[in-house]
């Protein structure tokens, strides 16, 4: 709609009402778009992680429902949580060992280089 030049209070009130109606219409349109994305969000997220997964959506939907039911089970949740924590602890220990070993080897190389330099000076 074209711009309206407001010259008096009556035209101002009409323009305010028109803009309120327009904002409500835009809010409804935005709400419809959000509803559309809510419905397709899972597929979009999965397709962004695993391209082409939309082709196998029925299988993934079944697997997702099974995983959801399993996750709601207390025993499965505690088992998977403890397995994840064990894996993280193992990875952390291995990382710590590797870092310590790298640090130790670096110090050993420095000591050997220093000893060789002192030997050459003698």
């Amino acid at each position: 709609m074209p711009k309206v030049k407001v010259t008096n209070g009556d035209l101002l009130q009409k323009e305010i009402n028109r803009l309120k109606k327009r904002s409500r219409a835009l809010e409804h349109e935005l709400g419809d778009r959000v509803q559309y994305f809510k419905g397709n969000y899972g597929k979009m997220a999965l397709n962004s992680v695993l391209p082409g997964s939309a082709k196998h959506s029925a299988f993934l939907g079944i697997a997702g429902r099974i995983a959801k039911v399993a996750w709601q089970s207390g025993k499965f949740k505690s088992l998977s949580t403890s397995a994840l924590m064990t894996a993280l602890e193992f990875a952390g220990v291995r990382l710590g060992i590797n870092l310590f070993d790298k640090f130790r080897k670096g110090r050993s190389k420095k000591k050997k280089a220093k000893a060789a330099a002192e030997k050459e000076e003698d």
Side-chain angles (χ1 to χ4, degrees):
M1 193 168 185
K3 291 184 180 181
V4 175
K5 188 171 186 177
V6 177
T7 56
N8 60 27
D10 187 40
L11 284 175
L12 177 63
Q13 200 60 34
K14 285 181 181 179
E15 185 65 13
I16 289 171
N17 289 336
R18 183 188 71 80
L19 292 173
K20 282 183 181 178
K21 285 180 186 177
R22 176 76 175 134
S23 70
R24 277 189 229 116
L26 289 173
E27 286 173 2
H28 288 298
E29 185 180 338
L30 182 63
D32 292 340
R33 289 181 182 182
V34 168
Q35 289 298 325
Y36 172 77
F37 281 119
K38 275 186 182 178
N40 291 330
Y41 182 73
K43 288 181 184 177
M44 290 185 330
L46 188 60
N47 203 20
S48 68
V49 175
L50 301 171
S53 62
K55 297 174 188 170
H56 310 291
S57 62
F59 172 73
L60 292 174
I62 292 169
R65 284 192 292 267
I66 291 171
K68 183 178 178 182
V69 169
W71 186 252
Q72 290 172 348
S73 165
K75 289 181 181 180
F76 179 79
K77 190 183 282 189
S78 67
L79 176 70
S80 61
T81 304
S82 65
L84 180 64
M85 291 304 293
T86 303
L88 287 174
E89 287 172 359
F90 177 76
V93 168
R94 290 299 302 165
L95 180 65
I97 289 171
N98 288 343
L99 285 173
F100 179 75
D101 195 38
K102 186 177 179 181
F103 175 74
R104 185 183 53 82
K105 285 180 181 177
R107 286 186 56 125
S108 176
K109 285 180 182 177
K110 286 180 184 177
K111 284 182 182 179
K112 286 180 184 177
K114 187 176 180 181
E118 287 178 1
K119 201 174 197 181
E120 288 179 4
E121 286 178 4
D122 291 339

